[in-house]
Structures are given as structure tokens and as C-alpha cells.
Amino acid sequence: MRVVLGILRTMRPKQWTKNVLFIFPAILFDGQLLNMNALGRVVLAALLMIVMSGTVYIINDLVDVEKDRQHPKKRTRPIASGEVPIRVAVTAAFILPTATLLFALWWDRSLAVVMLIYLIVQVTYSLYLKHVPILDILAVTTGFVLRILAGVVVIDVANFSPWLYACGALLALFLVVGKRRQELLTLGETALKTRPIFEHYNLALLDDMLRLVVNATFIAYLLYTIEVDTVRIADINASLVTVPFVLYALFRYLYLIHVRGEGSAPDEVLLTDRPLQLAIFGWGLTVFILIYLF
């Protein structure tokens, strides 16, 4: 039981929120959230992506086991600490994705293709791309875009704007760059020992990248609200009322990074920062009202 719980911890339960946040936009914005059949398919797709993404974390921890043992926090991870034996982790890293892909192939072939691409990209990241500057960040971002696509292919989508792919990709890029910045700042002189890619990054570069991405994220979402024809009130696109929530959430995350020194793990920030949670809840509630109650 201890080993099983260790495998579960290695699969990062706190980060499972990513699958909810990035798989559900398709059904939400397409107006099918109250369609029980479509909702069930998306929930199942999210569960399968949770298993697949969790497997990627196992593979990543196997590849980085020696580096993790030198990290002040990562040394307590189940594989690095020895709680989960290497051979057990290797077995789980083979069985879990194989079983998940076979089930997805039987249930929805399009989803199976998306999941296979996701697995290939993320394994390539763990083995090689994490050592290539810029491409390491883009590879992680690709995983988020594929999550959005997973939510699209399992239902018949009629009104999902391509702008939402751009918004999702830029938001993911914003979070990834923010995490890289905080890791570099927090680890200091030990950064290169735990993540060699930091040889190619510094705070000035990551701050410039963060400014570029946050601007692009906000502009992309603003253009989406102008382009989408969800609800019009007095000949004004009502989707624009959701913009302040997005702007506040972006500013709040920047505040947490630059003032509070947080942001090294976006999933932890999301689960602990109440103002950010309220902004996301307010945005989601407003979107729901506009799409489903007007």
C-alpha cells in the first residue's frame, strides 16, 4: 500500500487541475455543459489524460532521479527518496500508458491519437527537449494545447473559436515561464545542479519573456471576446464583461511572482491563493451565465 500511495504521489494529484482547466473549455464554450452525454465523455477524457499526464511525471522522475536527490524539495519525492523502488516505477511507467492508450483506442480513436502525440512530446521532453533552451518551454506548452484538443475531439463541437487555442497556449506559456523564473530565483547557486537548462536562462531573459507573453495572452483573450458572438446586449458583445476577471487574474499572478515571491508551482498557487480563486470563479460564473442563461 505504501508503494501504491508513492506511485500516486509521483503522479502529482495537485496538478490534475490542469486537465480540468484545459479539457473543459470546449464543452463550456460550445454550450454543451448541461448535455449529460457530452459531459460524461469529457469527464472520462479528463480522467484518461490524468492517468497519461501522471505517467509522464513518473517517467520524468525516473530520468531525473539523481538530480532530484540534490534538490531541497524534490529529494522527498517517492522515487528520489527510495519510497518507490526503481523497478516498480519502471513497470508503472509502462503499464499505465499502455492500458490507457488501449482503452482510448477502443473508446475514441481521435482521443487516442491526441494522447499518443501528448505522450511522445512529453517523453521527448523528459529525455531531450528539457535540455534545449526555448524548446523546453514550448514542449511543456504543447502539452496544454493537446489537453484542449482532447476536450474538443470527444464531442461534436460547433462553436469553439480558434482564438481559444491561442488563449490556452499563451496562458500555459505564461505559467511555464513564470514557474521557470521563480525556480531560478529560488534555487540560486544550486539551479544548475537540479536543472542544467538554467545555464541558458537568466532573470532578465525570463522577465522579458514574461512581459511578452502576458501582453499576448490578454490581447488574444480580448480579441476572442470581440470576435465571438455569444450574447449581445444593446448591440454590445456581452463577452467583454469577462475581460476584467482575466486582467485581474493575470495581474494577481504577476503580483504573487514579483511581490510575494510565489509562483514556482502554478498548481499550488491556484489551490492556495483565494483572490485568484475568486477571480477564476467569477470569470467561470459570468461565462456560464452568458452562454447558458441568456
Side-chain angles (χ1 to χ4, degrees):
M1 181 58 68
R2 182 168 148 279
V3 173
V4 171
L5 291 175
I7 289 290
L8 189 61
R9 283 176 49 214
T10 304
M11 295 175 72
R12 314 282 205 281
K14 287 184 178 180
Q15 303 214 26
W16 294 352
T17 52
K18 296 175 184 177
N19 296 290
V20 176
L21 292 176
F22 283 84
I23 287 181
F24 275 78
I27 189 172
L28 173 65
F29 287 98
D30 199 49
Q32 297 190 56
L33 192 60
L34 301 181
N35 181 328
M36 291 299 103
N37 179 58
L39 180 60
R41 292 183 63 83
V42 174
V43 169
L44 181 54
L47 292 174
L48 293 175
M49 285 301 295
I50 283 173
V51 177
M52 188 60 73
S53 61
T55 299
V56 170
Y57 287 124
I58 296 175
I59 296 171
N60 189 66
D61 283 6
L62 283 168
V63 173
D64 288 346
V65 62
E66 295 302 327
K67 295 185 182 69
D68 286 351
R69 287 169 178 165
Q70 302 180 51
H71 193 282
K73 290 179 64 177
K74 294 180 181 179
R75 67 178 61 177
T76 62
R77 288 178 174 176
I79 296 177
S81 66
E83 180 183 342
V84 174
I86 297 293
R87 60 182 179 82
V88 174
V90 171
T91 302
F94 175 77
I95 292 177
L96 288 175
T98 302
T100 304
L101 281 173
L102 288 174
F103 180 84
L105 188 62
W106 167 78
W107 180 58
D108 190 299
R109 290 187 178 182
S110 296
L111 177 62
V113 171
V114 173
M115 292 176 65
L116 180 60
I117 295 173
Y118 173 87
L119 182 62
I120 292 172
V121 170
Q122 298 308 311
V123 170
T124 304
Y125 166 81
S126 294
L127 296 176
Y128 174 68
L129 291 178
K130 65 163 55 178
H131 304 296
V132 183
I134 311 300
L135 289 183
D136 66 317
I137 292 176
L138 296 180
V140 176
T141 303
T142 300
F144 287 93
V145 178
L146 289 170
R147 285 179 171 94
I148 297 175
L149 185 58
V152 172
V153 298
V154 294
I155 59 175
D156 293 323
V157 175
N159 299 305
F160 190 74
S161 171
W163 276 107
L164 288 173
Y165 285 111
C167 292
L170 288 167
L171 176 60
L173 193 57
F174 170 64
L175 296 175
V176 173
V177 173
K179 181 179 179 180
R180 284 285 191 275
R181 181 191 183 277
Q182 291 311 95
E183 282 183 331
L184 180 59
L185 193 63
T186 303
L187 293 173
E189 296 180 357
T190 64
L192 287 178
K193 294 181 181 179
T194 57
R195 197 184 284 272
I197 190 65
F198 279 134
E199 178 186 358
H200 304 284
Y201 291 108
N202 57 37
L203 285 178
L205 172 61
L206 291 171
D207 280 338
D208 283 344
M209 292 171 68
L210 201 59
R211 293 187 192 98
L212 174 64
V213 174
V214 72
N215 288 332
T217 302
F218 179 70
I219 291 171
Y221 186 76
L222 183 62
L223 290 174
Y224 162 73
T225 60
I226 294 172
E227 182 261 350
V228 71
D229 194 21
T230 304
V231 177
R232 303 194 75 84
I233 300 175
D235 205 34
I236 297 176
N237 193 333
S239 296
L240 287 167
V241 303
T242 66
V243 170
F245 293 105
V246 173
L247 184 61
Y248 175 82
L250 292 173
F251 282 173
R252 177 68 186 180
Y253 194 76
L254 288 174
Y255 165 78
L256 293 173
I257 289 176
H258 293 289
V259 179
R260 298 272 291 272
E262 300 176 17
S264 57
D267 51 292
E268 293 180 6
V269 173
L270 179 61
L271 293 174
T272 57
D273 189 69
R274 189 55 54 84
L276 187 58
Q277 291 172 350
L278 289 174
I280 295 173
F281 175 78
W283 171 82
L285 180 61
T286 305
V287 169
F288 181 85
I289 292 172
L290 290 176
I291 295 177
Y292 295 90
L293 300 184
F294 271 88

